[in-house]
Amino acid sequence: MSRADSLRPDFSLWHLIAVELRRQRQLRKISGAALGVALDCDRSTVARYESGDVQLPIGRARILDREWGMPGFFENLVKHAKNAQDLDWWETFKEYERRANLIKTYEPSLVPGLLQREDYARAVYTTSRRADAEDAVAERMARQEILTRRDPCTLMAILDTAAVLRVFGDEDVMRAQLSHLLEISERPNIYLRVTSDRLIGYGGVGGGFTVMHTPTGDLGFANYGSTAHMSLDPADIQEQTIRYDQIGMSSLTVEASRAFIAKTLDSLA
């Protein structure tokens, strides 16, 4: 089954746009290469629009509407999709995570899920009163397979100082979690840094976010308080990548980060 065949237009407006783009192109018996010429892009980009790996930009939606005599059709779909919250956003997120070869993430409050030990994850979900805490923990542990598979994903994680100091569970849980961070940060595919504990604020401060790079397209995810935003828009992804770099410039080195985690671990002894 191809990516295009697995789309869910009943759950996602972006999937609906991808499906409808492919359907309208095939109705008109236009090749992907020919459509690429009309949209001023190559055939592979058209394929990524139709597979849902890349969101159709509103400028190119307008071109489609004009070329195909469908005033406002794709433009309005794109506008609504940008403002809508996909019902299957978590499934989309996990799919990109599974296919990612590079993930950059910043976490201001918690140890990132991909680096959590089971007891720490359980404490986090219990604190948030998740009714399905055990299922959520099992899913989180399973997701970490991307870091140890034959061709492991590279993870570049920046943790706010507070995420290292904040205790979830009891001190035994935190000791195990911090020890795990020290151990896993020695792997060649994991780069772990902590923001400087000497700074009151730093560039790019805000909610947590993640940028995932895959062989077929990139995804950006940002979380601000109780709201979240997921995007395949290159402009959004670039903005989050810049934020990551800004925070990185105000963070400790990998070596100094390990020293800070070790110092925090010793304080729990």
Side-chain angles (χ1 to χ4, degrees):
M1 178 185 296
S2 68
R3 284 278 295 154
D5 292 331
S6 66
L7 293 173
R8 297 282 305 280
D10 55 334
F11 272 81
S12 168
L13 271 173
W14 288 114
H15 285 197
L16 175 61
I17 291 168
V19 169
E20 192 61 24
L21 173 60
R22 184 185 186 193
R23 189 178 77 87
Q24 292 292 339
R25 178 181 63 79
Q26 291 177 339
L27 280 174
R28 290 165 173 78
K29 298 182 179 179
I30 300 171
S31 69
L35 182 56
V37 172
L39 296 178
D40 193 25
C41 63
D42 55 31
R43 181 176 58 184
S44 64
T45 300
V46 172
R48 291 166 75 184
Y49 291 153
E50 293 184 354
S51 67
D53 285 325
V54 175
Q55 292 172 354
L56 180 69
I58 196 163
R60 286 180 172 155
R62 290 173 181 144
I63 293 173
L64 287 173
D65 291 342
R66 183 178 66 249
E67 292 291 321
W68 290 348
M70 305 171 68
F73 181 78
F74 281 103
E75 179 181 359
N76 288 329
L77 281 177
V78 169
K79 285 179 178 178
H80 285 302
K82 283 181 174 292
N83 294 323
Q85 186 73 277
D86 279 357
L87 296 178
D88 66 340
W89 73 268
W90 180 233
E91 294 302 319
T92 300
F93 182 94
K94 290 188 294 182
E95 174 62 22
Y96 271 82
E97 187 179 73
R98 280 191 291 268
R99 294 190 286 122
N101 48 32
L102 171 63
I103 295 176
K104 294 182 178 180
T105 188
Y106 164 68
E107 178 52 67
S109 303
L110 307 169
V111 172
L114 291 175
L115 300 179
Q116 291 180 9
R117 279 178 54 89
E118 183 173 339
D119 288 342
Y120 179 95
R122 183 173 291 107
V124 169
Y125 283 125
T126 300
T127 300
S128 62
R129 299 184 180 183
R130 279 281 294 265
D132 60 341
E134 288 303 318
D135 290 339
V137 169
E139 180 183 62
R140 178 157 290 182
M141 295 302 101
R143 286 168 49 212
Q144 296 178 4
E145 182 272 338
I146 67 170
L147 300 176
T148 57
R149 64 194 181 196
R150 179 174 298 179
D151 183 21
C153 174
T154 296
L155 175 66
M156 303 178 71
I158 300 177
L159 283 65
D160 191 276
T161 305
V164 178
L165 298 176
R166 181 174 288 110
V167 175
F168 278 95
D170 55 26
E171 290 192 349
D172 287 340
V173 171
M174 284 307 299
R175 276 194 290 268
Q177 179 61 66
L178 295 179
S179 295
H180 178 64
L181 290 180
L182 291 175
E183 178 184 348
I184 201 171
S185 65
E186 293 181 345
R187 296 181 184 175
N189 62 312
I190 296 178
Y191 299 83
L192 179 62
R193 300 174 67 189
V194 178
T195 59
S196 176
D197 61 335
R198 297 179 182 273
L199 297 176
I200 297 176
Y202 47 86
V205 66
F209 61 92
T210 299
V211 177
M212 293 185 282
H213 303 271
T214 77
T216 56
D218 302 333
L219 178 141
F221 174 84
N223 188 11
Y224 302 96
S226 60
T227 63
H229 172 69
M230 186 167 57
S231 177
L232 300 174
D233 190 318
D236 290 341
I237 294 168
Q238 182 181 45
E239 180 180 349
Q240 292 184 24
T241 301
I242 291 173
R243 283 190 65 212
Y244 181 89
D245 291 341
Q246 288 175 328
I247 295 171
M249 288 187 290
S250 300
S251 299
L252 302 174
T253 64
V254 170
E255 293 76 15
S257 297
R258 286 177 51 81
F260 177 79
I261 294 171
K263 179 182 176 180
T264 305
L265 177 60
D266 289 342
S267 72
L268 296 175

